[in-house]
């Protein structure tokens, strides 16, 4: 149940790291991310990391927001070298690539090739979906999950008519096609909808578990 380093138990004492100067950036600059070469100031990052280490922490969790490798690879290499020299491990989140709901195996393979960290002991772990929260139930995804929801209902209950007999009336688009329940049914649960919402929650759990497994399995081929 413990992480091991050189045969001894190793305990993570970490922090979500953003450079101190980043909090004052204008919005467009901020969302280019910590490691965009136009934002990254190595001397200031060095001060921050030394401060983190001096407080007894041993891990920095960082997020990469870029969609362009050429903008972030050199700063990331610099960051890893500084962490290694100070004895800090890195938890890396590059969720534009690793987010299981839109996972890019080719993107992750290219990141490993360019950054060359597959065998680097500085990398401690990957945070593959930073702050996933309630994103699955957002109404903007109703159409995205609808086909998989109908397939799950058919697989679980035999057909859509049997599903409605078992869990109650299903949600439909104006054109009459079965779609996902609205977000409000999660936020303000109606006891009459409990069976349907329990089924939908199980569907989302099954889908997320499958996609997480697929993403992690693919990542392990490269690291």
């Amino acid at each position: 149940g413990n992480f091991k380093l050189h045969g001894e138990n190793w305990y993570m004492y970490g922090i979500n790291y953003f450079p101190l100067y980043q909090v004052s950036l204008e919005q467009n600059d901020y969302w280019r991310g910590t490691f965009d070469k136009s934002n990254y100031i190595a001397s200031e990052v060095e001060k921050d990391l030394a401060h983190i280490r001096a407080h007894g922490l041993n891990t920095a969790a960082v997020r990469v927001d870029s969609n362009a490798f050429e903008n972030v690879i050199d700063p990331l290499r610099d960051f890893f070298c500084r962490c290694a020299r100070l004895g800090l491990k890195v938890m890396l989140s590059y969720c534009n690539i690793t987010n299981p709901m839109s996972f890019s195996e080719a993107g992750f393979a290219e990141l490993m090739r360019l950054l060359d960290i597959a065998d680097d002991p500085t990398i401690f772990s990957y945070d593959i979906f930073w702050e996933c929260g309630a994103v699955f139930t957002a109404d903007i995804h109703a159409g995205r999950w609808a086909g998989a929801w109908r397939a799950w209902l058919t697989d679980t209950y035999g057909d859509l008519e049997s599903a409605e007999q078992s869990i109650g009336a299903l949600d439909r688009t104006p054109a009459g096609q079965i779609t996902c329940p609205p977000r409000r049914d999660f936020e303000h649960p109606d006891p009459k909808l409990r069976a349907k919402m329990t089924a939908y929650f199980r569907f989302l759990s099954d889908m997320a578990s499958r996609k997480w497994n697929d993403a992690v399995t693919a990542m392990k081929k490269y690291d």
Side-chain angles (χ1 to χ4, degrees):
N2 293 314
F3 294 110
K4 297 284 186 178
L5 182 63
H6 305 307
E8 302 292 332
N9 287 346
W10 182 85
Y11 302 98
M12 181 182 69
Y13 300 102
I15 186 172
N16 284 353
Y17 172 63
F18 298 86
L20 286 176
Y21 58 79
Q22 189 168 351
V23 298
S24 63
L25 295 176
E26 295 292 339
Q27 187 170 0
N28 287 342
D29 297 327
Y30 176 89
W31 283 112
R32 280 201 298 273
T34 296
F35 297 100
D36 189 276
K37 59 187 178 184
S38 66
N39 285 343
Y40 189 80
I41 305 173
S43 59
E44 294 300 315
V45 169
E46 176 74 18
K47 294 176 188 176
D48 290 344
L49 294 179
H51 190 69
I52 288 170
R53 196 70 181 103
H55 278 72
L57 301 179
N58 61 16
T59 307
V62 295
R63 188 179 80 205
V64 182
D65 292 304
S66 176
N67 289 313
F69 287 140
E70 62 269 20
N71 292 340
V72 299
I73 291 299
D74 286 343
L76 278 169
R77 285 174 176 161
D78 178 89
F79 183 78
F80 269 80
C81 286
R82 293 177 190 278
C83 286
R85 182 167 45 78
L86 289 167
L88 290 168
K89 300 297 183 184
V90 176
M91 176 187 286
L92 179 65
S93 180
Y94 204 142
C95 52
N96 289 0
I97 294 171
T98 60
N99 174 353
M101 309 314 289
S102 54
F103 177 70
S104 172
E105 182 173 345
F108 188 76
E110 183 68 357
L111 176 67
M112 292 295 97
R113 186 186 72 80
L114 293 171
L115 199 51
D116 193 25
I117 57 171
D119 298 310
D120 189 337
T122 309
I123 185 78
F124 161 62
S125 62
Y126 297 94
D127 180 352
I128 62 176
F129 193 171
W130 186 290
E131 295 182 1
C132 57
V135 65
F136 303 105
T137 62
D139 289 334
I140 59 173
H141 291 313
R144 182 182 181 189
W145 312 142
W149 170 228
R150 292 191 293 269
W152 186 91
L153 289 169
T154 300
D155 183 61
T156 303
Y157 295 98
D159 54 56
L160 297 176
E161 291 75 16
S162 298
E164 284 201 295
Q165 291 173 12
S166 296
I167 63 176
L170 298 169
D171 301 272
R172 284 177 163 76
T173 66
Q177 189 173 49
I178 291 173
T179 190
C180 299
R183 177 70 171 271
R184 66 175 182 270
D185 289 347
F186 280 93
E187 296 174 339
H188 306 287
D190 182 338
K192 296 191 295 292
L193 303 178
R194 185 174 292 126
K196 180 186 71 173
M197 297 312 293
T198 299
Y200 188 62
F201 187 82
R202 177 59 186 268
F203 154 71
L204 290 176
S205 298
D206 287 352
M207 179 179 67
S209 295
R210 183 174 63 255
K211 289 182 177 293
W212 254 251
N213 178 74
D214 291 348
V216 171
T217 299
M219 290 174 70
K220 286 181 177 178
K221 292 193 294 186
Y222 305 98
D223 188 353

mmCIF file of all heavy atoms in Angstrom, residues 182-223:
data_model
loop_
_atom_site.group_PDB
_atom_site.id
_atom_site.type_symbol
_atom_site.label_atom_id
_atom_site.label_comp_id
_atom_site.label_asym_id
_atom_site.label_seq_id
_atom_site.Cartn_x
_atom_site.Cartn_y
_atom_site.Cartn_z
ATOM 1 N N PRO A 182 -31.400 15.833 -18.405
ATOM 2 C CA PRO A 182 -30.802 17.159 -18.227
ATOM 3 C C PRO A 182 -30.076 17.275 -16.889
ATOM 4 O O PRO A 182 -30.372 16.547 -15.935
ATOM 5 C CB PRO A 182 -32.011 18.097 -18.280
ATOM 6 C CG PRO A 182 -33.143 17.260 -17.800
ATOM 7 C CD PRO A 182 -32.870 15.865 -18.297
ATOM 8 N N ARG A 183 -29.165 18.229 -16.827
ATOM 9 C CA ARG A 183 -28.381 18.457 -15.612
ATOM 10 C C ARG A 183 -29.284 18.727 -14.398
ATOM 11 O O ARG A 183 -28.973 18.331 -13.274
ATOM 12 C CB ARG A 183 -27.439 19.632 -15.855
ATOM 13 C CG ARG A 183 -26.585 20.056 -14.674
ATOM 14 C CD ARG A 183 -25.528 19.022 -14.350
ATOM 15 N NE ARG A 183 -24.586 19.493 -13.365
ATOM 16 C CZ ARG A 183 -23.468 20.145 -13.652
ATOM 17 N NH1 ARG A 183 -23.147 20.411 -14.908
ATOM 18 N NH2 ARG A 183 -22.649 20.518 -12.703
ATOM 19 N N ARG A 184 -30.405 19.404 -14.623
ATOM 20 C CA ARG A 184 -31.263 19.773 -13.490
ATOM 21 C C ARG A 184 -31.759 18.548 -12.728
ATOM 22 O O ARG A 184 -32.048 18.634 -11.528
ATOM 23 C CB ARG A 184 -32.451 20.604 -13.968
ATOM 24 C CG ARG A 184 -33.429 19.861 -14.867
ATOM 25 C CD ARG A 184 -34.663 20.702 -15.207
ATOM 26 N NE ARG A 184 -35.595 19.953 -16.033
ATOM 27 C CZ ARG A 184 -35.560 19.942 -17.362
ATOM 28 N NH1 ARG A 184 -34.641 20.660 -17.999
ATOM 29 N NH2 ARG A 184 -36.438 19.221 -18.039
ATOM 30 N N ASP A 185 -31.865 17.398 -13.406
ATOM 31 C CA ASP A 185 -32.349 16.208 -12.718
ATOM 32 C C ASP A 185 -31.312 15.647 -11.752
ATOM 33 O O ASP A 185 -31.645 14.850 -10.870
ATOM 34 C CB ASP A 185 -32.758 15.138 -13.736
ATOM 35 C CG ASP A 185 -34.040 15.507 -14.475
ATOM 36 O OD1 ASP A 185 -34.722 16.447 -14.024
ATOM 37 O OD2 ASP A 185 -34.350 14.869 -15.493
ATOM 38 N N PHE A 186 -30.038 16.046 -11.935
ATOM 39 C CA PHE A 186 -29.015 15.717 -10.943
ATOM 40 C C PHE A 186 -29.024 16.720 -9.807
ATOM 41 O O PHE A 186 -28.857 16.373 -8.650
ATOM 42 C CB PHE A 186 -27.626 15.707 -11.599
ATOM 43 C CG PHE A 186 -27.312 14.460 -12.358
ATOM 44 C CD1 PHE A 186 -27.576 14.380 -13.714
ATOM 45 C CD2 PHE A 186 -26.738 13.363 -11.740
ATOM 46 C CE1 PHE A 186 -27.284 13.235 -14.427
ATOM 47 C CE2 PHE A 186 -26.448 12.212 -12.431
ATOM 48 C CZ PHE A 186 -26.725 12.148 -13.793
ATOM 49 N N GLU A 187 -29.198 17.992 -10.159
ATOM 50 C CA GLU A 187 -29.084 19.054 -9.161
ATOM 51 C C GLU A 187 -30.317 19.143 -8.264
ATOM 52 O O GLU A 187 -30.209 19.553 -7.104
ATOM 53 C CB GLU A 187 -28.855 20.387 -9.874
ATOM 54 C CG GLU A 187 -27.526 20.422 -10.644
ATOM 55 C CD GLU A 187 -27.365 21.681 -11.470
ATOM 56 O OE1 GLU A 187 -28.390 22.325 -11.777
ATOM 57 O OE2 GLU A 187 -26.209 22.028 -11.799
ATOM 58 N N HIS A 188 -31.475 18.796 -8.803
ATOM 59 C CA HIS A 188 -32.723 18.857 -8.040
ATOM 60 C C HIS A 188 -33.460 17.531 -8.219
ATOM 61 O O HIS A 188 -34.441 17.445 -8.962
ATOM 62 C CB HIS A 188 -33.591 20.028 -8.510
ATOM 63 C CG HIS A 188 -32.870 21.340 -8.500
ATOM 64 N ND1 HIS A 188 -32.573 22.008 -7.341
ATOM 65 C CD2 HIS A 188 -32.367 22.094 -9.517
ATOM 66 C CE1 HIS A 188 -31.927 23.121 -7.634
ATOM 67 N NE2 HIS A 188 -31.786 23.202 -8.945
ATOM 68 N N PRO A 189 -32.978 16.491 -7.549
ATOM 69 C CA PRO A 189 -33.531 15.145 -7.791
ATOM 70 C C PRO A 189 -35.001 15.040 -7.405
ATOM 71 O O PRO A 189 -35.419 15.499 -6.346
ATOM 72 C CB PRO A 189 -32.662 14.250 -6.908
ATOM 73 C CG PRO A 189 -32.046 15.164 -5.899
ATOM 74 C CD PRO A 189 -31.879 16.484 -6.573
ATOM 75 N N ASP A 190 -35.765 14.455 -8.299
ATOM 76 C CA ASP A 190 -37.185 14.184 -8.079
ATOM 77 C C ASP A 190 -37.315 12.697 -7.747
ATOM 78 O O ASP A 190 -36.849 11.847 -8.509
ATOM 79 C CB ASP A 190 -37.963 14.525 -9.354
ATOM 80 C CG ASP A 190 -39.462 14.326 -9.202
ATOM 81 O OD1 ASP A 190 -39.872 13.562 -8.310
ATOM 82 O OD2 ASP A 190 -40.218 14.921 -9.991
ATOM 83 N N PRO A 191 -37.915 12.348 -6.609
ATOM 84 C CA PRO A 191 -38.049 10.930 -6.251
ATOM 85 C C PRO A 191 -38.669 10.080 -7.350
ATOM 86 O O PRO A 191 -38.340 8.895 -7.490
ATOM 87 C CB PRO A 191 -38.932 10.965 -5.004
ATOM 88 C CG PRO A 191 -38.678 12.308 -4.399
ATOM 89 C CD PRO A 191 -38.478 13.234 -5.569
ATOM 90 N N LYS A 192 -39.549 10.680 -8.169
ATOM 91 C CA LYS A 192 -40.193 9.904 -9.239
ATOM 92 C C LYS A 192 -39.191 9.513 -10.328
ATOM 93 O O LYS A 192 -39.469 8.630 -11.125
ATOM 94 C CB LYS A 192 -41.338 10.725 -9.847
ATOM 95 C CG LYS A 192 -42.471 11.018 -8.878
ATOM 96 C CD LYS A 192 -43.680 11.580 -9.585
ATOM 97 C CE LYS A 192 -43.392 12.940 -10.211
ATOM 98 N NZ LYS A 192 -43.170 13.985 -9.181
ATOM 99 N N LEU A 193 -38.050 10.203 -10.372
ATOM 100 C CA LEU A 193 -37.055 9.931 -11.414
ATOM 101 C C LEU A 193 -35.904 9.073 -10.897
ATOM 102 O O LEU A 193 -34.922 8.866 -11.613
ATOM 103 C CB LEU A 193 -36.489 11.253 -11.955
ATOM 104 C CG LEU A 193 -37.500 12.248 -12.526
ATOM 105 C CD1 LEU A 193 -36.788 13.520 -12.971
ATOM 106 C CD2 LEU A 193 -38.262 11.641 -13.694
ATOM 107 N N ARG A 194 -36.019 8.572 -9.676
ATOM 108 C CA ARG A 194 -34.885 7.897 -9.048
ATOM 109 C C ARG A 194 -34.403 6.703 -9.877
ATOM 110 O O ARG A 194 -33.203 6.511 -10.061
ATOM 111 C CB ARG A 194 -35.267 7.447 -7.640
ATOM 112 C CG ARG A 194 -34.087 6.824 -6.872
ATOM 113 C CD ARG A 194 -34.463 6.513 -5.432
ATOM 114 N NE ARG A 194 -34.683 7.737 -4.692
ATOM 115 C CZ ARG A 194 -35.786 8.004 -4.003
ATOM 116 N NH1 ARG A 194 -36.775 7.119 -3.989
ATOM 117 N NH2 ARG A 194 -35.915 9.127 -3.323
ATOM 118 N N ALA A 195 -35.317 5.907 -10.386
ATOM 119 C CA ALA A 195 -34.904 4.725 -11.145
ATOM 120 C C ALA A 195 -34.154 5.113 -12.412
ATOM 121 O O ALA A 195 -33.105 4.539 -12.736
ATOM 122 C CB ALA A 195 -36.125 3.865 -11.489
ATOM 123 N N LYS A 196 -34.686 6.110 -13.115
ATOM 124 C CA LYS A 196 -34.023 6.543 -14.346
ATOM 125 C C LYS A 196 -32.654 7.141 -14.054
ATOM 126 O O LYS A 196 -31.658 6.821 -14.727
ATOM 127 C CB LYS A 196 -34.883 7.571 -15.082
ATOM 128 C CG LYS A 196 -34.247 8.061 -16.386
ATOM 129 C CD LYS A 196 -35.052 9.183 -17.030
ATOM 130 C CE LYS A 196 -34.935 10.476 -16.236
ATOM 131 N NZ LYS A 196 -35.577 11.620 -16.928
ATOM 132 N N MET A 197 -32.568 7.988 -13.022
ATOM 133 C CA MET A 197 -31.308 8.658 -12.741
ATOM 134 C C MET A 197 -30.270 7.677 -12.173
ATOM 135 O O MET A 197 -29.078 7.832 -12.415
ATOM 136 C CB MET A 197 -31.535 9.819 -11.780
ATOM 137 C CG MET A 197 -32.449 10.912 -12.350
ATOM 138 S SD MET A 197 -31.989 11.436 -14.033
ATOM 139 C CE MET A 197 -30.411 12.222 -13.712
ATOM 140 N N THR A 198 -30.736 6.669 -11.450
ATOM 141 C CA THR A 198 -29.812 5.635 -10.976
ATOM 142 C C THR A 198 -29.227 4.875 -12.164
ATOM 143 O O THR A 198 -28.030 4.582 -12.219
ATOM 144 C CB THR A 198 -30.528 4.670 -10.029
ATOM 145 O OG1 THR A 198 -31.003 5.396 -8.894
ATOM 146 C CG2 THR A 198 -29.598 3.564 -9.557
ATOM 147 N N ALA A 199 -30.077 4.563 -13.138
ATOM 148 C CA ALA A 199 -29.600 3.875 -14.340
ATOM 149 C C ALA A 199 -28.613 4.746 -15.104
ATOM 150 O O ALA A 199 -27.575 4.265 -15.584
ATOM 151 C CB ALA A 199 -30.783 3.498 -15.228
ATOM 152 N N TYR A 200 -28.944 6.037 -15.223
ATOM 153 C CA TYR A 200 -28.061 6.932 -15.978
ATOM 154 C C TYR A 200 -26.718 7.091 -15.264
ATOM 155 O O TYR A 200 -25.658 7.121 -15.911
ATOM 156 C CB TYR A 200 -28.723 8.289 -16.175
ATOM 157 C CG TYR A 200 -27.953 9.194 -17.104
ATOM 158 C CD1 TYR A 200 -27.746 8.831 -18.435
ATOM 159 C CD2 TYR A 200 -27.414 10.395 -16.662
ATOM 160 C CE1 TYR A 200 -27.015 9.643 -19.302
ATOM 161 C CE2 TYR A 200 -26.697 11.215 -17.510
ATOM 162 C CZ TYR A 200 -26.500 10.838 -18.830
ATOM 163 O OH TYR A 200 -25.782 11.646 -19.678
ATOM 164 N N PHE A 201 -26.745 7.187 -13.938
ATOM 165 C CA PHE A 201 -25.499 7.291 -13.185
ATOM 166 C C PHE A 201 -24.646 6.040 -13.403
ATOM 167 O O PHE A 201 -23.422 6.126 -13.561
ATOM 168 C CB PHE A 201 -25.790 7.491 -11.700
ATOM 169 C CG PHE A 201 -24.569 7.762 -10.876
ATOM 170 C CD1 PHE A 201 -24.029 9.033 -10.807
ATOM 171 C CD2 PHE A 201 -23.940 6.741 -10.177
ATOM 172 C CE1 PHE A 201 -22.892 9.293 -10.051
ATOM 173 C CE2 PHE A 201 -22.808 6.980 -9.423
ATOM 174 C CZ PHE A 201 -22.283 8.268 -9.355
ATOM 175 N N ARG A 202 -25.295 4.874 -13.429
ATOM 176 C CA ARG A 202 -24.550 3.635 -13.685
ATOM 177 C C ARG A 202 -23.956 3.645 -15.090
ATOM 178 O O ARG A 202 -22.813 3.213 -15.310
ATOM 179 C CB ARG A 202 -25.459 2.420 -13.489
ATOM 180 C CG ARG A 202 -24.793 1.088 -13.794
ATOM 181 C CD ARG A 202 -23.557 0.841 -12.925
ATOM 182 N NE ARG A 202 -22.862 -0.366 -13.314
ATOM 183 C CZ ARG A 202 -23.092 -1.558 -12.771
ATOM 184 N NH1 ARG A 202 -24.012 -1.689 -11.817
ATOM 185 N NH2 ARG A 202 -22.422 -2.615 -13.173
ATOM 186 N N PHE A 203 -24.717 4.126 -16.057
ATOM 187 C CA PHE A 203 -24.202 4.244 -17.423
ATOM 188 C C PHE A 203 -22.955 5.123 -17.465
ATOM 189 O O PHE A 203 -21.937 4.755 -18.066
ATOM 190 C CB PHE A 203 -25.275 4.813 -18.346
ATOM 191 C CG PHE A 203 -24.734 5.527 -19.544
ATOM 192 C CD1 PHE A 203 -24.135 4.829 -20.583
ATOM 193 C CD2 PHE A 203 -24.794 6.918 -19.636
ATOM 194 C CE1 PHE A 203 -23.609 5.492 -21.693
ATOM 195 C CE2 PHE A 203 -24.273 7.588 -20.733
ATOM 196 C CZ PHE A 203 -23.684 6.870 -21.762
ATOM 197 N N LEU A 204 -23.025 6.296 -16.812
ATOM 198 C CA LEU A 204 -21.875 7.198 -16.812
ATOM 199 C C LEU A 204 -20.672 6.552 -16.125
ATOM 200 O O LEU A 204 -19.537 6.695 -16.595
ATOM 201 C CB LEU A 204 -22.234 8.508 -16.102
ATOM 202 C CG LEU A 204 -23.213 9.443 -16.815
ATOM 203 C CD1 LEU A 204 -23.531 10.642 -15.924
ATOM 204 C CD2 LEU A 204 -22.653 9.918 -18.155
ATOM 205 N N SER A 205 -20.929 5.842 -15.026
ATOM 206 C CA SER A 205 -19.835 5.174 -14.315
ATOM 207 C C SER A 205 -19.187 4.108 -15.187
ATOM 208 O O SER A 205 -17.952 3.997 -15.240
ATOM 209 C CB SER A 205 -20.353 4.552 -13.020
ATOM 210 O OG SER A 205 -20.859 5.542 -12.153
ATOM 211 N N ASP A 206 -20.007 3.326 -15.868
ATOM 212 C CA ASP A 206 -19.468 2.298 -16.767
ATOM 213 C C ASP A 206 -18.641 2.927 -17.883
ATOM 214 O O ASP A 206 -17.552 2.447 -18.223
ATOM 215 C CB ASP A 206 -20.609 1.474 -17.370
ATOM 216 C CG ASP A 206 -21.253 0.528 -16.369
ATOM 217 O OD1 ASP A 206 -20.725 0.392 -15.255
ATOM 218 O OD2 ASP A 206 -22.297 -0.068 -16.718
ATOM 219 N N MET A 207 -19.173 3.997 -18.475
ATOM 220 C CA MET A 207 -18.481 4.646 -19.584
ATOM 221 C C MET A 207 -17.160 5.241 -19.122
ATOM 222 O O MET A 207 -16.115 5.063 -19.773
ATOM 223 C CB MET A 207 -19.358 5.742 -20.185
ATOM 224 C CG MET A 207 -18.694 6.489 -21.339
ATOM 225 S SD MET A 207 -19.748 7.764 -22.061
ATOM 226 C CE MET A 207 -19.859 8.929 -20.698
ATOM 227 N N ALA A 208 -17.178 5.940 -17.981
ATOM 228 C CA ALA A 208 -15.952 6.546 -17.473
ATOM 229 C C ALA A 208 -14.917 5.475 -17.135
ATOM 230 O O ALA A 208 -13.732 5.617 -17.467
ATOM 231 C CB ALA A 208 -16.257 7.407 -16.251
ATOM 232 N N SER A 209 -15.346 4.392 -16.493
ATOM 233 C CA SER A 209 -14.413 3.327 -16.137
ATOM 234 C C SER A 209 -13.753 2.737 -17.374
ATOM 235 O O SER A 209 -12.535 2.494 -17.394
ATOM 236 C CB SER A 209 -15.153 2.225 -15.366
ATOM 237 O OG SER A 209 -15.637 2.701 -14.135
ATOM 238 N N ARG A 210 -14.547 2.524 -18.405
ATOM 239 C CA ARG A 210 -14.000 1.948 -19.634
ATOM 240 C C ARG A 210 -13.003 2.909 -20.287
ATOM 241 O O ARG A 210 -11.920 2.506 -20.718
ATOM 242 C CB ARG A 210 -15.135 1.618 -20.605
ATOM 243 C CG ARG A 210 -14.658 0.934 -21.897
ATOM 244 C CD ARG A 210 -15.836 0.511 -22.753
ATOM 245 N NE ARG A 210 -16.637 1.648 -23.198
ATOM 246 C CZ ARG A 210 -17.823 1.977 -22.697
ATOM 247 N NH1 ARG A 210 -18.355 1.254 -21.735
ATOM 248 N NH2 ARG A 210 -18.487 3.013 -23.176
ATOM 249 N N LYS A 211 -13.364 4.190 -20.363
ATOM 250 C CA LYS A 211 -12.481 5.158 -21.014
ATOM 251 C C LYS A 211 -11.210 5.387 -20.202
ATOM 252 O O LYS A 211 -10.120 5.548 -20.768
ATOM 253 C CB LYS A 211 -13.233 6.471 -21.257
ATOM 254 C CG LYS A 211 -14.289 6.368 -22.363
ATOM 255 C CD LYS A 211 -14.971 7.688 -22.611
ATOM 256 C CE LYS A 211 -15.976 7.592 -23.772
ATOM 257 N NZ LYS A 211 -15.321 7.350 -25.067
ATOM 258 N N TRP A 212 -11.332 5.402 -18.861
ATOM 259 C CA TRP A 212 -10.136 5.545 -18.028
ATOM 260 C C TRP A 212 -9.205 4.353 -18.239
ATOM 261 O O TRP A 212 -8.002 4.515 -18.390
ATOM 262 C CB TRP A 212 -10.535 5.648 -16.555
ATOM 263 C CG TRP A 212 -10.402 7.026 -15.972
ATOM 264 C CD1 TRP A 212 -9.470 7.444 -15.066
ATOM 265 C CD2 TRP A 212 -11.231 8.170 -16.253
ATOM 266 N NE1 TRP A 212 -9.672 8.776 -14.755
ATOM 267 C CE2 TRP A 212 -10.744 9.242 -15.467
ATOM 268 C CE3 TRP A 212 -12.332 8.392 -17.081
ATOM 269 C CZ2 TRP A 212 -11.317 10.504 -15.488
ATOM 270 C CZ3 TRP A 212 -12.909 9.642 -17.104
ATOM 271 C CH2 TRP A 212 -12.400 10.685 -16.323
ATOM 272 N N ASN A 213 -9.769 3.159 -18.249
ATOM 273 C CA ASN A 213 -8.964 1.962 -18.448
ATOM 274 C C ASN A 213 -8.255 2.003 -19.805
ATOM 275 O O ASN A 213 -7.064 1.683 -19.907
ATOM 276 C CB ASN A 213 -9.841 0.719 -18.357
ATOM 277 C CG ASN A 213 -9.054 -0.557 -18.607
ATOM 278 O OD1 ASN A 213 -8.292 -0.997 -17.754
ATOM 279 N ND2 ASN A 213 -9.223 -1.145 -19.774
ATOM 280 N N ASP A 214 -8.978 2.403 -20.838
ATOM 281 C CA ASP A 214 -8.387 2.438 -22.180
ATOM 282 C C ASP A 214 -7.238 3.438 -22.237
ATOM 283 O O ASP A 214 -6.189 3.174 -22.835
ATOM 284 C CB ASP A 214 -9.450 2.808 -23.216
ATOM 285 C CG ASP A 214 -10.494 1.708 -23.407
ATOM 286 O OD1 ASP A 214 -10.261 0.592 -22.921
ATOM 287 O OD2 ASP A 214 -11.536 1.994 -24.027
ATOM 288 N N ALA A 215 -7.438 4.612 -21.628
ATOM 289 C CA ALA A 215 -6.393 5.648 -21.668
ATOM 290 C C ALA A 215 -5.164 5.203 -20.893
ATOM 291 O O ALA A 215 -4.031 5.328 -21.384
ATOM 292 C CB ALA A 215 -6.941 6.960 -21.102
ATOM 293 N N VAL A 216 -5.356 4.700 -19.679
ATOM 294 C CA VAL A 216 -4.205 4.292 -18.857
ATOM 295 C C VAL A 216 -3.457 3.118 -19.505
ATOM 296 O O VAL A 216 -2.226 3.087 -19.515
ATOM 297 C CB VAL A 216 -4.672 3.933 -17.446
ATOM 298 C CG1 VAL A 216 -3.551 3.312 -16.635
ATOM 299 C CG2 VAL A 216 -5.198 5.175 -16.731
ATOM 300 N N THR A 217 -4.198 2.176 -20.062
ATOM 301 C CA THR A 217 -3.558 1.046 -20.739
ATOM 302 C C THR A 217 -2.699 1.520 -21.896
ATOM 303 O O THR A 217 -1.566 1.054 -22.086
ATOM 304 C CB THR A 217 -4.635 0.060 -21.241
ATOM 305 O OG1 THR A 217 -5.378 -0.440 -20.128
ATOM 306 C CG2 THR A 217 -3.990 -1.104 -21.988
ATOM 307 N N ALA A 218 -3.208 2.479 -22.662
ATOM 308 C CA ALA A 218 -2.429 3.015 -23.784
ATOM 309 C C ALA A 218 -1.194 3.767 -23.294
ATOM 310 O O ALA A 218 -0.102 3.618 -23.848
ATOM 311 C CB ALA A 218 -3.306 3.936 -24.630
ATOM 312 N N MET A 219 -1.355 4.572 -22.233
ATOM 313 C CA MET A 219 -0.218 5.351 -21.716
ATOM 314 C C MET A 219 0.913 4.434 -21.260
ATOM 315 O O MET A 219 2.091 4.744 -21.444
ATOM 316 C CB MET A 219 -0.673 6.245 -20.570
ATOM 317 C CG MET A 219 -1.563 7.401 -21.004
ATOM 318 S SD MET A 219 -2.233 8.347 -19.607
ATOM 319 C CE MET A 219 -0.744 9.136 -19.015
ATOM 320 N N LYS A 220 0.564 3.294 -20.679
ATOM 321 C CA LYS A 220 1.595 2.386 -20.156
ATOM 322 C C LYS A 220 2.440 1.763 -21.262
ATOM 323 O O LYS A 220 3.525 1.232 -20.988
ATOM 324 C CB LYS A 220 0.947 1.301 -19.293
ATOM 325 C CG LYS A 220 0.483 1.835 -17.941
ATOM 326 C CD LYS A 220 -0.142 0.734 -17.090
ATOM 327 C CE LYS A 220 -0.524 1.275 -15.714
ATOM 328 N NZ LYS A 220 -1.180 0.252 -14.858
ATOM 329 N N LYS A 221 1.971 1.844 -22.498
ATOM 330 C CA LYS A 221 2.786 1.349 -23.602
ATOM 331 C C LYS A 221 4.008 2.255 -23.843
ATOM 332 O O LYS A 221 5.006 1.823 -24.413
ATOM 333 C CB LYS A 221 1.964 1.258 -24.882
ATOM 334 C CG LYS A 221 0.879 0.197 -24.845
ATOM 335 C CD LYS A 221 0.318 -0.075 -26.225
ATOM 336 C CE LYS A 221 -0.415 1.117 -26.801
ATOM 337 N NZ LYS A 221 -1.080 0.813 -28.099
ATOM 338 N N TYR A 222 3.882 3.527 -23.420
ATOM 339 C CA TYR A 222 4.929 4.504 -23.706
ATOM 340 C C TYR A 222 5.697 4.909 -22.459
ATOM 341 O O TYR A 222 6.802 5.437 -22.546
ATOM 342 C CB TYR A 222 4.312 5.746 -24.354
ATOM 343 C CG TYR A 222 3.504 5.397 -25.575
ATOM 344 C CD1 TYR A 222 2.119 5.254 -25.508
ATOM 345 C CD2 TYR A 222 4.128 5.155 -26.796
ATOM 346 C CE1 TYR A 222 1.372 4.899 -26.619
ATOM 347 C CE2 TYR A 222 3.397 4.792 -27.919
ATOM 348 C CZ TYR A 222 2.007 4.665 -27.819
ATOM 349 O OH TYR A 222 1.285 4.301 -28.918
ATOM 350 N N ASP A 223 5.113 4.695 -21.283
ATOM 351 C CA ASP A 223 5.804 4.958 -20.032
ATOM 352 C C ASP A 223 5.396 3.873 -19.031
ATOM 353 O O ASP A 223 4.325 3.976 -18.446
ATOM 354 C CB ASP A 223 5.433 6.349 -19.491
ATOM 355 C CG ASP A 223 6.284 6.731 -18.292
ATOM 356 O OD1 ASP A 223 7.049 5.870 -17.826
ATOM 357 O OD2 ASP A 223 6.173 7.864 -17.830
#
